[in-house]
Amino acid sequence: MLAGPVRQRHDQTEIRIAAGDVVDVLRTLHDDPAFRFEVLADVAGVDMGDSMQVVYHLWSETTPDWLRVIAVDLSRDDPRVPSATFLWKGAEWMEREAYDMFGIIFEGNRDLRRIYMPPDYTSFPLRKDFFLADDAARSPGQGVRHMEQVHPPADSEAPIRRARGR
Amino acid sequence: MNVVPRSAPRIPALWLLLFALGGLGTLVLLVLIVGILSGVIPAIVIWLGGVILANIAIVRFIVAATAILLFTIPTAFVIIFMELKVIAFMNLRIGPNRVGPWGALASVVHGLKVLSKEDFTPTGADPTVFTLAPVATFVGSVMAFMVLPFGPGLFGVDLNVGLLYFFAVGGLGVVGLLMAGWASFNKYSLLGGLRSAAQMVSYEIPLTLSVVGVIMLAGTLSLNGIVQAQSGSFLDWFVVRQPLAFLIFFIAATAEANRTPFDLTEADSEIVAGFATEYSGMRFGFFFFAEYVNVFLLSGLAVVLFFGGWTSPIPWPWPIHFALSPLESLIAILVLLIVVPVVASFLLAIPIWVIRTRLSFARAFAMGMLLFGPLATAAVLIYLVINLDALLGIIWFFAKAYVFVFTFVWMRATLPRVRIDQLMGLAWKWLLPASLVNLFITALAILVVHP
Amino acid sequence: MAVQSPSLDDPRVLVDTPAAIVDAIPPYAPRSEREAEFYALGDGQMLLNIGPHHPATHGVLRIVLKIEGERIVDLDPVLGYLHRGVEKLAENADYHHSIAYTDPLEYVSSLFNELAPVMAFERLLDLRVPRRAEYLRVLSCELLRVSSHILFMGFMALDMGGLTPILYSFIERDEMVDMLAALTGQRMLFNYMRIGGVNGDLNHEFLSRLGDWMSRAGRQAEAISTLLNENEIFVKRTRGLGAISRGQALNLGLTGPNLRACGVPFDVRRAHPYSVYPELDFDVVTADEGDTYARYLVRVEEIKQSIRIIDQVLHEMPDGPVMARIPRRITPPPGRAWAAIESPRGQYGCYAMSDGTDQPYRFRIHDPSFVNLQALVPILPGCLIADTMAVNASLDPIMGGVDK
């Protein structure tokens, strides 16, 4: 079921799974008396440049480590992952946020609509091809650009920043 | 640079005013002389005097109504200032301190600000009802003032059903609030209006029932009569014989005046400002005024019903009466006016001169005269207060009423707000049975003591 | 060009559609199952829009209530009025710079906002922080926790119509922010935590103010809390209101005092210790009722525990440097790190990804009030309008943190 090596660093254990296994893995982690991961600490989306990830952080009193579950290799054009709301109702807004910021669709979330951005907003701001308007930082998209420009303009030399390493 | 030369020297504005007044005065004087000489003015005066004497009740009513209308304005200002300053002290703040001494004119400035603001009617509101609502509320409060006795002989009308009138007219205020809530076209306003209707109607019942005991003891509905029934020392006040009734009355009055902890109609943290959400300018000012007038009104009623109205807690034991014939008193007054200032100034000057040896006696005498002024004024005032019942009555009445006003302000600084269901529960489950029990006990006591 | 549906804030919407004036139904097709269900009005129901500019919504929270008379049938919190895109900004700033962006998130307790990212970055860098710096972090954070909880008491009273406690609270908070200004150099947005340590060591003014305050802190907090604890109206309005069961609280992802009030002793300082908390002696305060009053009491009790911690920290603080030696330009090796701390509102987390450059590749802030605020939706139906404010105040959300 694992889609990558288990890593342990500092106080965090990291496992990687495929998007299709999210339901089974989370349910096992939550319900199995050996694990009892009762607290969902965080749900976050990540844009890796060529794919998407959804990162769950879990806490259990059975282990001193935070458990990081990463659902990897979501397609960038149509990122879909099962919702965690069947276990933790509190994941609802965090998933809404990930949808709002990355466009990741959580199947099974009854309330998947934008949470921060206005209803008529069309782009997903935390994706790496969304450039900030300011040129203060050394952002890949130099110069002032329209906020809602999903793709870099044709004359831009700026590359999309992609995740290197892991 | 262009300098425009003045064709005529500038006349100071004061001089212009004086010229105009002088001219006007001359004209009026001429008209008066001609009128008196031709006998027109005496005829008018005699006719007017006859009319006034014939309709003395109406004239009295008009004068009283005017006086009360004028009286509401400083009352509201004083209570608003109290609310600003007293709550500030209770909050460990400084409060208003910019306009006037201790910021005392802050509420006047508030009033001016309210006057100068735009009277805004929101789209969708019913303009007629929207405009009339504050008037209805304000008129309700002011009309109730007419029967409140401020001192012996100082009341608008001494109705024999005064208390009934008071409650009936005081209940008019809720109509204004309901109108405001409905006409504003705003859900907060609507909720506030409906809350006020529910609250006022519920609390009207314990409020009215709680004073029935007092009515039975006094044997009259006239507020004047109720005060007279309590004359004597503070042991004759009805609060001593009706403590439970007073408690119920005070709680219900707090709710009736929409004061904390029962200020649900304008609960600022829930429904923004309730019925007043959409109001601005003087219309809002009217609501504001009506609220504070109501506070004074209910404080005054509490004083009249339970704390002996204008009567003093301990009767003045040494009445001062001078019985002199007119001629004797004229001579006495002349002597007093001529002799007393000189002698008193001299007497006051001697110690000053003795202590401050470097002063010439003339200067010490001048200082003595300066000292004498305020002392004499104080003495005359004290004499008037002691001998004029009305003045003394007013002072007692206001002193007592402002104790209650202070209590209302105090509660506002201290208590959080109750919830609407708790509010209703308190009225129907506790206050109403308690007032009925009180009524029963009072009736029983009257039967036993005076069969 | 795609035709955009008009936004909710467009004034033309109100003028054109009379129904929208009366019932604030959004002028576009429902975007989710839940939205469609919420905006379908039943018989005798109406929508009441509370906020974003409302005296008791702690900033810019907007809650659409579906009410039947005064009773709440359902509600829909609407966020985003204070969204600043801090995560995006931080991803375009270098590591030092992005800490400053997090300061104004939870503006009531900004030191905690700095601490979590700083700890995440330190884990990316495999950096060890000097012990004196750890103690200083704990000291300043616990001071701010006291200040935040005291402010909570005041705001809770204010939302329920009490005017006075908020001003008493602000006297205390003023003293504390002045004290922290002496330590950090800033009064509100301290920017005190640095990667590898803290910005400055103890100084005379801070210590003298702290000593002065510590001599009366317990009494003062007690005095403010008795204003409310012993107030019959306050207790009657909060006891039994908005009760959350243990399972429901875990399911909702509540953390912090809100979770502990439901009987779950989850405190990141104990559940997953960080910094020097394992060496300090304090209790995790819990209550069993899970109602509004319990949430209030847990916070009041936590003030005392924090004062205990401050006392121990002052006694046990070691000598030494307050900053590790780190280069000015930080380029952590590629990796991922998660750091969670116990902020006054619950578990405050930061998830940072590095790609080897000097800017974080992904910078995620997990704010406890954001999650806690969700609890409004299941617990409020059945309550009255006035309870919205009491429950909302007891969850203690800070909209700066919720909206990021």
Side-chain angles (χ1 to χ4, degrees), chain B residues 87 90-93 185 187-188 191 195 261 268-270 272 412-422, chain C residues 21-23 47-50 54-56 70 159-160 164 167-168 171 231 233 236-237 384-387 389:
Chain B
I87 293 185
M90 288 176 178
N91 286 348
L92 307 183
R93 288 185 285 126
F185 197 57
K187 285 174 191 168
Y188 291 128
L191 282 169
R195 276 183 180 191
D268 55 337
S269 62
E270 295 157 25
V272 188
R412 171 143 185 203
T414 317
L415 295 176
R417 190 176 299 122
V418 301
R419 210 165 51 196
I420 183 87
D421 56 336
Q422 295 167 345
Chain C
I21 311 177
V22 182
D23 269 325
L47 295 177
L48 181 71
N49 186 38
I50 294 182
H54 185 279
E70 286 255 352
D159 283 357
M160 298 173 62
T164 302
L167 287 136
Y168 290 6
I171 290 172
N231 189 315
I233 297 175
K236 278 223 160 175
R237 271 196 64 179
L384 298 166
I385 293 175
D387 297 335
M389 284 73 206

Side-chain angles (χ1 to χ4, degrees), chain B residues 169-214:
Chain B
V169 173
L172 267 184
V174 66
V175 179
L177 302 190
L178 204 54
M179 280 161 73
W182 175 252
S184 291
F185 197 57
N186 180 319
K187 285 174 191 168
Y188 291 128
S189 304
L190 185 62
L191 282 169
L194 290 176
R195 276 183 180 191
S196 79
Q199 177 179 335
M200 297 263 197
V201 169
S202 305
Y203 276 87
E204 199 86 6
I205 296 164
L207 184 74
T208 318
L209 277 180
S210 67
V211 300
V212 174
V214 171

Side-chain angles (χ1 to χ4, degrees), chain B residues 37-103:
Chain B
L37 287 182
S38 62
V40 175
I41 288 181
I44 292 176
V45 167
I46 288 164
W47 173 75
L48 256 184
V51 168
I52 289 173
L53 283 178
N55 299 298
I56 190 73
I58 295 173
V59 172
R60 188 196 153 82
F61 175 81
I62 290 170
V63 169
T66 316
I68 281 165
L69 264 176
L70 288 178
F71 164 75
T72 56
I73 296 165
T75 306
F77 281 155
V78 167
I79 301 177
I80 293 170
F81 173 66
M82 269 179 82
E83 188 140 287
L84 294 173
K85 204 68 181 178
V86 171
I87 293 185
F89 282 141
M90 288 176 178
N91 286 348
L92 307 183
R93 288 185 285 126
I94 295 169
N97 65 349
R98 295 286 134 176
V99 200
W102 307 289

Side-chain angles (χ1 to χ4, degrees), chain B residues 307-363:
Chain B
F307 286 86
W310 69 75
T311 60
S312 66
I314 303 159
W316 185 253
W318 312 285
I320 301 168
H321 289 298
F322 290 110
L324 292 175
S325 71
L327 186 67
E328 282 170 345
S329 59
L330 191 67
I331 294 166
I333 286 171
L334 277 177
V335 169
L336 277 176
L337 281 181
I338 295 161
V339 177
V340 168
V342 179
V343 173
S345 302
F346 189 74
L347 287 177
L348 284 167
I350 286 174
I352 296 172
W353 186 58
V354 169
I355 295 165
R356 304 289 303 275
T357 42
R358 296 172 78 182
L359 281 177
S360 68
F361 187 78
R363 285 197 151 192

Side-chain angles (χ1 to χ4, degrees), chain A residues 96 113-121, chain C residues 4-17 19-21 23-31 35 38-39 47 49-52 62-64 76-81:
Chain A
R96 276 178 71 182
R113 51 186 158 134
R114 288 192 177 273
I115 190 163
Y116 288 146
M117 292 308 189
D120 50 355
Y121 206 71
Chain C
Q4 294 192 342
S5 58
S7 104
L8 261 181
D9 304 322
D10 189 346
R12 284 169 302 175
V13 175
L14 293 181
V15 178
D16 292 347
T17 48
I21 311 177
D23 269 325
I25 292 172
Y28 44 78
R31 293 166 292 167
E35 195 175 16
F38 179 77
Y39 285 102
L47 295 177
N49 186 38
I50 294 182
R62 174 176 167 225
I63 307 174
V64 186
D76 186 24
V78 181
L79 311 179
Y81 290 92

